[in-house]
Amino acid sequence: MSSATPEPRDQQVATAVKPRPDSVSPLFGSGRPRWGERLVEWLLFLAAFISVVVTMGIVAILLWESSTFFRSVPTLEFLTGRVWAPTFEPPHFGILPLLCGTVVTTGVALLVALPIGSIVAVYMSEYAPFAVREFLKPTLELLSAIPTVVYGYFALVYVGPTLQRLFADIPGANMLSAGMVMGLMIIPYISSLSEDAMRSVPMLLREGAYALGANRLITAFKVVYPAALSGIGSAYILGISRAIGETMIVAIAAGGQPNFTLDPRQPGLTITAYIVQVSMGDLPRGSVGYQSIFAAGLLLFVFTLGFNILGYLLRKRFRESY
Amino acid sequence: MASIPELIVRLKRQDRWFAVLGLACTLVGLVTLLILLAGLIRDGHHRLFDPAFYASFPSARAARAGILSPLVGSILLAFVTILLAVPLGVAAGVYLEEYAPRNIWTTLIEINIANLAGVPSIIFGLLALGALIYGLHLDRSLLVGGITLALLILPIVIVTTREALRAIPQGIREAAYALGATKWQVVRHHLIPYSLGGIATGTIIAMSRALGESAPLMTIGALTFITFLPPPPIRSQPPFVNFQWLNSEFTAMPIQMFNWISRPQAEFSALAATAGVVLILMTLSLNAVAIILRYRLRKRIKW
């Protein structure tokens, strides 16, 4: 055969493969700049940055709106005053009664949720057979899917009157019932996260304990629990933060009167419930009393911010340790 | 000092007791919940199957009051919320998981999102009140309510998006790059479609949270007594769509329930219970859908 025949085919292939100048593969040098790719990256970054804008917005709004409040009420009086009476003449703005309400309801909720949540976590992670856990865990998480208004109804209509039958002469709306129901609500927050932390403890540690003759109980509390402590700690902190910020249960069932007391059988008003009360129209808009919700909100934000950052750091540590 | 067989018996007994205790604690929560739910149904079942309850507006007379406007308000609110939160949350999740360089700014955004997830919902209400209503002079409308709830559930959407993306094996990305795909093509053609199930699960859970949320809506001043519906979003004349409804005042299921709880009369307490049953059915059915979806995804996807 002649040697000339393959030549045109070779040429044809060569022209077909010959790269167009504007679409060079990155392997062979930089092609045309891809503006679309850059644009997309920027848009995605902006979406992520919006969360930062929201936080800055929260801080700015709370500071700005409460600044008009602090112009007429001294900060020291706000933080140390024992009387909260925005509608009195002259009005009193001492945050301590509201703080008492928040501390008491949160404390009651934690007394319910921490032991139960921890035991549930240990049970789920160390004891429960696979099938039981697969069924119970999502079912328990439904506890946090119930709207908080409904929990408020439970606390006011069922739990309050039941407590009235147990203790003599306490009001139907009290901080104890609100706190207990709130505790029920935060059990899954505590149990789920604690269980995740405990389950990420390597099996080797458990086997070491079993080899030394420990049973599951000893292994769980002397080996797994301490090893997962930072993760469990972050679960507890999330629970605390939820309880401090919870609004509707305490607004409905805690009684709604500012009360400078640590007795949970008394009615009380929390920071969050106060904000709702004012929003429902107790005070004229623009008045000092109305602006006080921003000051109360600022305090609330500072508290939860502290807990949230602590929780984040703990969570980070527990992720890194294995 | 006990002998070893005795010790073994004792340790085993401890284990059995703790297993019983653990199961009991798990069931305590569930049983309490069931008792409370039974009470709610007992108190609220009278109007539950009454069509008029769903077709009437709230009224000062308990016998004629219904949940038409709160029900419509909640559905429209959820719609606005999802429309805002999902694109934003998915984009942010994609950025943080696929694009973000490991540097101080990324860490800052991450800490910030973790914090935002734990900010009490009522603070979002104060933000919307201060920024949107006082600052931008917007009405106390469905749009403002939707923005508020969207910001509230944004962290949930971001976190679930990131988890769904993280579950995709690295090999998928590398295979696409090897075929010459750009980063955005990898994201658009592979990562987003593969993580859609996980994102949907998270979004449904976030939506159920938004449906039950009332504190921030009350802070922005959503009214409790609305006896009209927002203008319909579809018209017969061109341009066929109508965005007037976004500016409409609204009420929502949890707000209406709160309003009925706070009235002293027993008839309104019963109405509150009925509204509570409807609300729980809404949120629990969304959660059930999410659980089923998650379960089926886990069975189907084997990388």
Side-chain angles (χ1 to χ4, degrees):
Chain A
M1 291 300 189
S2 77
S3 58
T5 29
E7 208 186 293
R9 255 183 73 203
D10 270 0
Q11 251 175 4
Q12 211 183 347
V13 171
T15 34
V17 167
K18 190 179 168 194
R20 282 179 292 137
D22 61 348
S23 69
V24 182
S25 149
L27 283 176
F28 306 113
S30 57
R32 84 186 145 87
R34 290 188 169 272
W35 297 115
E37 289 282 322
R38 299 281 293 278
L39 182 72
V40 163
E41 188 171 347
W42 263 102
L43 288 177
L44 296 177
F45 171 76
L46 280 184
F49 196 70
I50 281 185
S51 69
V52 178
V53 175
V54 171
T55 306
M56 292 193 301
I58 289 174
V59 173
I61 291 288
L62 290 180
L63 286 178
W64 172 253
E65 295 285 348
S66 57
S67 69
T68 50
F69 171 79
F70 284 118
R71 228 172 282 148
S72 41
V73 179
T75 313
L76 194 70
E77 191 192 311
F78 175 72
L79 289 176
T80 58
R82 293 182 187 181
V83 180
W84 185 268
T87 48
F88 282 18
E89 200 54 55
H92 290 282
F93 294 101
I95 196 79
L96 286 183
L98 301 191
L99 219 51
C100 282
T102 297
V103 167
V104 169
T105 50
T106 302
V108 172
L110 292 179
L111 278 180
V112 172
L114 286 189
I116 294 184
S118 305
I119 291 174
V120 169
V122 170
Y123 173 72
M124 293 273 197
S125 131
E126 307 297 313
Y127 282 85
F130 180 76
V132 173
R133 189 178 60 227
E134 282 299 282
F135 171 72
L136 280 184
K137 197 178 180 188
T139 317
L140 197 65
E141 276 169 12
L142 289 182
L143 277 180
S144 56
I146 306 280
T148 53
V149 197
V150 179
Y151 274 120
Y153 180 87
F154 289 160
L156 183 71
V157 178
Y158 305 130
V159 181
T162 310
L163 289 176
Q164 261 180 322
R165 249 173 275 149
L166 292 178
F167 303 100
D169 56 76
I170 65 166
N174 54 63
M175 295 190 275
L176 187 59
S177 58
M180 282 168 65
V181 171
M182 200 150 85
L184 182 66
M185 184 194 78
I186 59 177
I187 287 175
Y189 288 103
I190 287 170
S191 67
S192 268
L193 273 178
S194 304
E195 188 212 328
D196 291 344
M198 292 177 70
R199 289 228 282 160
S200 70
V201 171
M203 211 55 205
L204 271 178
L205 288 184
R206 289 189 189 87
E207 279 157 6
Y210 294 148
L212 292 172
N215 60 1
R216 280 168 192 260
L217 189 67
I218 296 171
T219 312
F221 282 98
K222 294 268 161 82
V223 178
V224 181
Y225 192 91
L229 198 59
S230 56
I232 293 172
S234 85
Y236 289 177
I237 283 170
L238 179 77
I240 297 174
S241 173
R242 283 277 144 187
I244 293 177
E246 173 43 46
T247 308
M248 295 316 288
I249 300 178
V250 285
I252 292 170
Q257 311 147 24
N259 200 340
F260 185 64
T261 176
L262 290 177
D263 180 1
R265 289 169 303 180
Q266 300 279 323
L269 184 67
T270 67
I271 299 178
T272 50
Y274 170 70
I275 298 174
V276 166
Q277 230 178 42
V278 172
S279 307
M280 294 306 287
D282 276 8
L283 292 163
R285 293 185 191 276
S287 65
V288 177
Y290 196 80
Q291 290 306 105
S292 70
I293 64 175
F294 289 100
L298 182 64
L299 198 65
L300 187 66
F301 180 74
V302 170
F303 281 147
T304 51
L305 181 73
F307 280 116
N308 290 341
I309 290 178
L310 195 63
Y312 177 83
L313 294 177
L314 280 174
R315 208 155 47 236
K316 194 120 184 143
R317 222 181 85 188
F318 121 75
R319 276 217 190 105
E320 278 162 3
S321 48
Y322 300 111
Chain B
M1 186 85 192
S3 73
I4 287 183
E6 279 171 22
L7 191 68
I8 291 175
V9 168
R10 212 176 70 206
L11 289 180
K12 286 198 162 171
R13 200 185 303 136
Q14 274 183 2
D15 262 355
R16 273 199 302 277
W17 278 114
F18 191 84
V20 171
L21 177 70
L23 193 61
C25 278
T26 315
L27 294 179
V28 155
L30 293 177
V31 169
T32 316
L33 184 70
L34 282 181
I35 292 172
L36 295 175
L37 284 179
L40 194 71
I41 292 171
R42 186 200 62 203
D43 289 356
H45 73 275
H46 311 287
R47 300 283 311 270
L48 197 58
F49 300 106
D50 176 9
F53 181 66
Y54 301 94
S56 347
F57 290 107
S59 160
R61 271 185 287 170
R64 288 177 54 186
I67 55 167
L68 179 60
S69 51
L71 198 58
V72 171
S74 270
I75 291 168
L76 290 177
L77 206 57
F79 180 67
V80 178
T81 306
I82 291 303
L83 226 54
L84 292 171
V86 170
L88 215 55
V90 171
V94 166
Y95 178 79
L96 289 174
E97 205 55 41
E98 302 295 327
Y99 283 84
R102 296 281 111 209
N103 61 22
I104 177 106
W105 296 108
T106 308
T107 313
L108 210 67
I109 294 181
E110 278 175 357
I111 294 183
N112 177 61
I113 289 170
N115 173 51
L116 220 48
V119 168
S121 59
I122 196 157
I123 299 279
F124 286 92
L126 290 178
L127 169 71
L129 179 68
L132 301 176
I133 292 176
Y134 290 172
L136 299 176
H137 299 291
L138 295 177
D139 293 328
R140 295 153 204 283
S141 59
L142 276 168
L143 180 66
V144 170
I147 294 174
T148 313
L149 292 182
L151 295 181
L152 181 71
I153 66 166
L154 194 59
I156 308 180
V157 180
I158 295 176
V159 168
T160 42
T161 303
R162 294 188 66 176
E163 272 166 12
L165 288 171
R166 221 174 293 152
I168 301 172
Q170 200 57 30
I172 300 277
R173 296 177 182 82
E174 279 155 10
Y177 286 136
L179 293 173
T182 65
K183 193 152 201 171
W184 175 236
Q185 283 168 337
V186 173
V187 168
R188 198 164 53 108
H189 296 156
H190 299 280
L191 301 184
I192 289 186
Y194 303 159
S195 57
L196 222 48
I199 294 172
T201 312
T203 306
I204 293 171
I205 291 197
M207 196 160 122
S208 106
R209 169 113 194 262
L211 269 180
E213 197 59 69
S214 38
L217 299 178
M218 294 172 71
T219 314
I220 61 172
L223 299 175
T224 51
F225 197 71
I226 297 276
T227 51
F228 56 85
L229 290 181
I234 302 164
R235 293 190 297 195
S236 52
Q237 305 100 341
F240 301 114
V241 284
N242 177 8
F243 290 103
Q244 282 291 310
W245 60 276
L246 279 175
N247 290 321
S248 171
E249 286 182 319
F250 68 100
T251 184
M253 288 294 293
I255 299 178
Q256 187 59 53
M257 186 179 169
F258 178 79
N259 177 268
W260 280 333
I261 291 174
S262 50
R263 293 186 187 214
Q265 301 93 330
E267 305 89 65
F268 282 109
S269 180
L271 280 180
T274 316
V277 174
V278 176
L279 195 55
I280 285 186
L281 284 179
M282 285 161 77
T283 55
L284 285 194
S285 53
L286 281 176
N287 273 273
V289 170
I291 289 174
I292 292 167
L293 199 62
R294 192 190 298 157
Y295 183 71
R296 290 189 52 175
L297 282 173
R298 222 193 301 167
K299 275 184 108 171
R300 211 187 61 206
I301 296 177
K302 297 248 164 27
W303 294 108

